[in-house]
């Protein structure tokens, strides 16, 4: 991690405008074709594959690597990691994140291992040395969009989706992406969704 003084930060004007805004969080929803992942869900968990693709696409976009520091500066992280939510053995939520993994095989091993650990121990795993992208899946209901809430203590990108739907021979998923306007604008969110679609289309075990 490195610290960037706000005066030297390329998005300085955005930060000055939106960090003090009453509601600086925005949400954009896009339809993503996940057919290539669905073909593989007998061998791999669909949520694991989606999280891996989100991690890889986020890693390649500079905006995901930034976060606010406590003072008037910005933190930059070399890697981006994804976390997700499971229901643990007492019926409560556990939040799990694993360090950035380049290959899917490494990602999947840690995904399955920590799912089991957190299920049994009812604990959470967060990382302090990587930039966070949070995810959530509401798989029992198909919906068009989610307007994500705003809390001052959680400003990192957040993605949520529901039940996938089938159209002819294609499987689609609406993914809602909540972001802080200091670090993203509409153009960059559009670039992310395009890259995410490309990452999913090119996914191989």
């Amino acid at each position: 991690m490195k610290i960037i003084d706000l005066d030297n930060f390329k998005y300085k004007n955005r930060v000055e405008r939106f960090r003090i805004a009453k509601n600086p969080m925005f949400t954009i929803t896009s339809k993503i074709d996940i057919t290539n992942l669905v073909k593989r869900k007998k061998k791999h968990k669909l949520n694991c594959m989606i999280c891996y693709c989100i991690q890889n696409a986020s890693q390649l976009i500079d905006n995901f690597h930034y976060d606010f520091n406590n003072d008037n500066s910005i933190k930059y992280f070399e890697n981006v990691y994804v976390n997700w939510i499971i229901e643990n053995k007492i019926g409560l939520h556990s939040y799990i994140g694993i360090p950035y993994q380049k290959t899917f095989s490494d990602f999947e091993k840690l995904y399955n291992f920590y799912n089991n650990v957190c299920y049994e121990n009812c604990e959470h795993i967060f990382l302090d040395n990587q930039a966070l992208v949070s995810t959530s899946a509401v798989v029992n209901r198909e919906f068009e969009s989610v307007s994500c809430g705003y809390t001052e203590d959680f400003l990192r990108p957040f993605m949520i989706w529901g039940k996938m739907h089938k159209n002819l021979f294609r499987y689609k998923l609406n993914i809602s992406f909540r972001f802080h306007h200091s670090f993203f604008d509409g153009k960059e969110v559009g670039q992310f969704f395009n890259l995410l679609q490309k990452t999913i289309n090119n996914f191989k075990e």
Side-chain angles (χ1 to χ4, degrees):
M1 183 189 73
K2 67 178 181 180
I3 303 299
I4 302 173
D5 185 81
L6 184 59
D7 288 334
N8 298 320
F9 186 49
K10 62 181 177 180
Y11 301 124
K12 175 185 176 181
N13 291 338
R14 285 192 207 166
V15 173
E16 291 178 336
R17 175 177 296 181
F18 289 106
R19 190 169 190 180
I20 62 173
K22 290 183 178 180
N23 190 349
M25 309 301 291
F26 291 75
T27 301
I28 293 178
T29 300
S30 183
K31 194 181 300 294
I32 299 295
D33 188 323
I34 61 168
T35 306
N36 187 41
L37 304 184
V38 173
K39 292 177 180 178
R40 294 167 164 80
K41 72 185 187 74
K42 290 185 178 180
K43 294 176 58 180
H44 310 286
K45 294 178 181 177
L46 182 60
N47 190 72
C48 179
M49 292 186 287
I50 293 173
C51 286
Y52 172 75
C53 290
I54 288 174
Q55 173 215 255
N56 275 17
S58 301
Q59 179 72 17
L60 296 175
I61 295 182
D62 185 62
N63 309 72
F64 283 91
H65 293 255
Y66 297 110
D67 197 2
F68 293 112
N69 204 16
N70 292 330
D71 56 12
N72 196 30
S73 61
I74 303 297
K75 293 185 287 189
Y76 175 86
F77 297 92
E78 182 179 353
N79 290 320
V80 176
Y81 83 101
V82 172
N83 81 348
W84 59 92
I85 304 170
I86 66 165
E87 184 178 294
N88 58 42
K89 69 179 183 181
I90 61 172
L92 299 178
H93 286 160
S94 287
Y95 298 84
I96 308 172
I98 57 177
Y100 170 80
Q101 303 296 316
K102 186 174 182 178
T103 68
F104 178 69
S105 60
D106 290 337
F107 185 93
E108 185 178 40
K109 289 176 184 176
L110 290 178
Y111 180 97
N112 292 331
F113 174 76
Y114 283 111
N115 271 6
N116 293 331
V117 170
C118 292
Y119 175 83
E120 291 295 333
N121 298 337
C122 305
E123 61 186 21
H124 309 295
I125 298 177
F126 290 98
L127 307 178
D128 295 328
N129 60 346
Q130 297 190 12
L132 169 63
V133 178
S134 287
T135 72
S136 180
V138 185
V139 297
N140 61 346
R141 183 69 183 178
E142 180 184 325
F143 51 75
E144 294 298 319
S145 182
V146 175
S147 180
C148 303
Y150 168 64
T151 59
E152 292 185 357
D153 61 341
F154 185 71
L155 306 178
R156 298 298 304 144
F158 177 68
M159 298 177 200
I160 184 170
W161 55 89
K163 185 178 180 180
M164 65 182 173
H165 59 276
K166 185 178 181 181
N167 183 9
L168 296 178
F169 301 105
R170 311 300 298 180
Y171 292 87
K172 303 293 181 64
L173 193 65
N174 290 326
I175 299 182
S176 291
F177 175 19
R178 187 197 71 170
F179 57 93
H180 198 291
H181 214 333
S182 290
F183 299 125
F184 294 88
D185 62 18
K187 178 182 177 181
E188 292 149 353
V189 174
Q191 290 172 341
F192 165 73
F193 276 122
N194 289 338
L195 183 56
L196 177 60
Q197 184 65 75
K198 183 179 179 181
T199 303
I200 290 173
N201 291 345
N202 294 334
F203 174 84
K204 295 179 181 179
E205 295 90 337

